[in-house]
């Protein structure tokens, strides 16, 4: 509730307390869930190192996603943290892994977001044709997403960013 209402410090405190409690009582399910939530919150607030640590621990506790149905988002969060930290190859590997899981599960909402993230990453790597291909795929997939407005905005932003990097400012708008 704190996270949704913008009270991020309070949310972080609650997640830290929940992590400590679950560690103390040896409850792996609760630990994986709360580490994942804490990591995603830290990613949102720009704490990329701690986010990566917590997300990695959550995924390591539940590598197959049996306990945590949000495993593609956690792996994608790891990739985003790595990208922001300048670790582009691990980010690429993690985005690719998260994408494969989404496609296997038929999760088009997360898939559209991951495709957009891959577009930006390939742009950072200077592989603009690949970047545009992923951005276009994200835009096309966002039409089928239940989060149409959000997915479309993310996908279009990624595509516009890539086109502006290429100097195609008219198509970037």
């Amino acid at each position: 509730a704190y996270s949704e209402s913008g009270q991020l410090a309070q949310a972080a405190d609650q997640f830290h307390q929940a992590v400590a409690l679950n560690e103390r009582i040896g409850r792996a399910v609760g630990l994986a869930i709360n580490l994942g939530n804490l990591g995603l919150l830290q990613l949102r607030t720009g704490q990329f190192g701690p986010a990566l640590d917590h997300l990695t621990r959550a995924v390591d506790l539940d590598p197959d996603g049996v306990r945590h149905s949000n495993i593609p988002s956690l792996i994608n969060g790891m990739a985003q943290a790595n990208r922001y930290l300048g670790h582009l190859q691990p980010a690429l590997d993690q985005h690719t892994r998260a994408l494969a899981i989404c496609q296997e599960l038929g999760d088009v909402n997360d898939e559209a977001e991951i495709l957009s993230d891959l577009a930006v990453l390939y742009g950072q790597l200077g592989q603009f044709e690949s970047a545009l291909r992923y951005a276009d795929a994200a835009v096309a997939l966002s039409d089928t997403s239940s989060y149409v407005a959000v997915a479309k905005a993310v996908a279009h932003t990624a595509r516009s960013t890539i086109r502006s990097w290429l100097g195609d400012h008219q198509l970037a708008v």
Side-chain angles (χ1 to χ4, degrees):
Y2 285 124
S3 183
E4 283 126 23
S5 66
Q7 299 173 323
L8 302 182
Q10 293 90 335
D13 288 343
Q14 291 293 313
F15 288 136
H16 277 291
Q17 289 174 23
V19 165
L21 174 65
N22 283 288
E23 284 177 326
R24 193 168 49 253
I25 64 174
R27 187 167 175 255
V29 173
L31 183 57
I33 290 168
N34 285 292
L35 283 168
N37 288 335
L38 178 59
L40 291 172
L41 177 67
Q42 289 169 321
L43 183 64
R44 183 174 164 192
T45 59
Q47 300 171 56
F48 304 122
L52 181 58
D53 292 342
H54 290 119
L55 292 167
T56 300
R57 284 183 60 201
V59 170
D60 287 347
L61 282 168
D62 190 18
D64 298 320
V66 174
R67 296 183 185 117
H68 203 294
S69 62
N70 210 18
I71 202 81
S73 292
L74 300 180
I75 296 169
N76 198 52
M78 292 166 55
Q80 290 171 350
N82 267 316
R83 193 178 77 215
Y84 290 123
L85 291 168
H87 309 145
L88 301 184
Q89 187 57 53
L92 180 59
D93 296 342
Q94 290 158 340
H95 280 314
T96 302
R97 178 178 171 204
L99 180 63
I101 294 169
C102 285
Q103 290 171 335
E104 182 179 316
L105 297 174
D107 180 354
V108 295
N109 295 321
D110 283 339
E111 185 177 350
E113 179 183 344
I114 294 166
L115 287 167
S116 296
D117 289 339
L118 277 164
V120 172
L121 178 58
Y122 274 108
Q124 287 177 292
L125 292 168
Q127 298 178 26
F128 298 113
E129 285 184 26
S130 293
L132 279 174
R133 189 175 65 250
Y134 279 103
D136 288 341
V139 168
L141 189 60
S142 70
D143 288 336
T144 65
S145 171
S146 63
Y147 298 115
V148 174
V150 173
K152 219 179 235 329
V154 168
H156 281 281
T157 299
R159 185 165 60 185
S160 294
T161 300
I162 303 306
R163 286 182 172 162
S164 70
W165 286 346
L166 290 170
D168 193 351
H169 299 289
Q170 286 184 338
L171 285 176
V173 177

